[in-house]
Amino acid sequence: VTTALCGVHAGRHLKKLNPVLETYQKSLKDFLLQFWMYYDWLLGYQEHPTVEDKERLIKDFDAIFSITTNYDLLDDRIAKIKTLKDKLLVVLDNPDLPLHNNGAELAARRQVRYRDISFQTRSEEGRNAKNIALSIYQTCKKLGVDATQYILDRLTNKMEMLSLAHLIRQRNYTPAL
């Protein structure tokens, strides 16, 4: 089993470069244009995968990530991304896989923001309660359920709303961990 890597994250490493020289700025801009164009091609492939497109995308990857510029830091990043080819192109054999993991990141971000604001919890019970509440909130959000109404429905024992587990099974949905 090959682990898939997030294409958006590979692009972020490129965007962190901050060249001062105009010629390096142009090299970076030109490469980023090719990088994101390739990413768009992968998105298109996911919608209509064909053997021909798979072969073309493999060749295009090799061509794009063999580019050298006169900007050493960019060349190093390009070479690093090229070494990750197998993990970045898992989508070619599994078109249903997402090209990025931003959904999981966004779910984790709420937890981090809460921690930063509240300076952590004071007990294990508090931490467990916070984790459960955040998990319910995020799951409700992803399923399009009003979290406040859902929690109120459960606390009052009305049980008029479908359980989150039932909705997940019903939609064949797997929440991000």
Side-chain angles (χ1 to χ4, degrees), residues 11-26:
R12 285 184 186 159
H13 291 290
L14 295 166
K15 289 177 75 174
K16 287 181 181 179
L17 295 174
N18 191 19
V20 176
L21 297 178
E22 191 172 321
T23 184
Y24 292 174
Q25 291 171 356
K26 181 173 178 359

Side-chain angles (χ1 to χ4, degrees), residues 98 100-109 111 131 134-143 168 172-177:
H100 62 80
N101 64 354
N102 284 348
E105 274 197 11
L106 291 173
R109 187 173 295 150
Q111 175 92 4
N131 289 340
L134 286 173
S135 178
I136 290 170
Y137 175 81
Q138 287 295 331
T139 304
C140 284
K141 183 176 177 182
K142 288 184 179 191
L143 293 171
I168 290 169
N172 196 18
Y173 174 79
T174 305
L177 298 176

Side-chain angles (χ1 to χ4, degrees), residues 5-15 17 28 31-32 35-36 38 42 61-62 64-66 73-89:
L5 288 182
C6 176
V8 172
H9 282 96
R12 285 184 186 159
H13 291 290
L14 295 166
K15 289 177 75 174
L17 295 174
L28 178 59
F31 186 78
L32 281 172
F35 179 88
W36 291 115
Y38 185 80
L42 287 174
F61 183 95
D62 292 336
I64 291 170
F65 293 97
S66 294
L73 291 176
L74 176 57
D75 290 345
D76 289 345
R77 301 268 169 113
I78 292 170
K80 171 72 172 159
I81 293 170
K82 187 175 184 178
T83 66
L84 302 173
K85 175 182 175 179
D86 291 340
K87 294 181 179 186
L88 289 167
L89 297 184

Side-chain angles (χ1 to χ4, degrees), residues 137 139-150 161-162 164 167 171:
Y137 175 81
T139 304
C140 284
K141 183 176 177 182
K142 288 184 179 191
L143 293 171
V145 173
D146 183 321
T148 304
Q149 292 300 318
Y150 181 80
M161 298 176 76
L162 293 173
L164 295 180
L167 290 172
R171 298 178 191 193

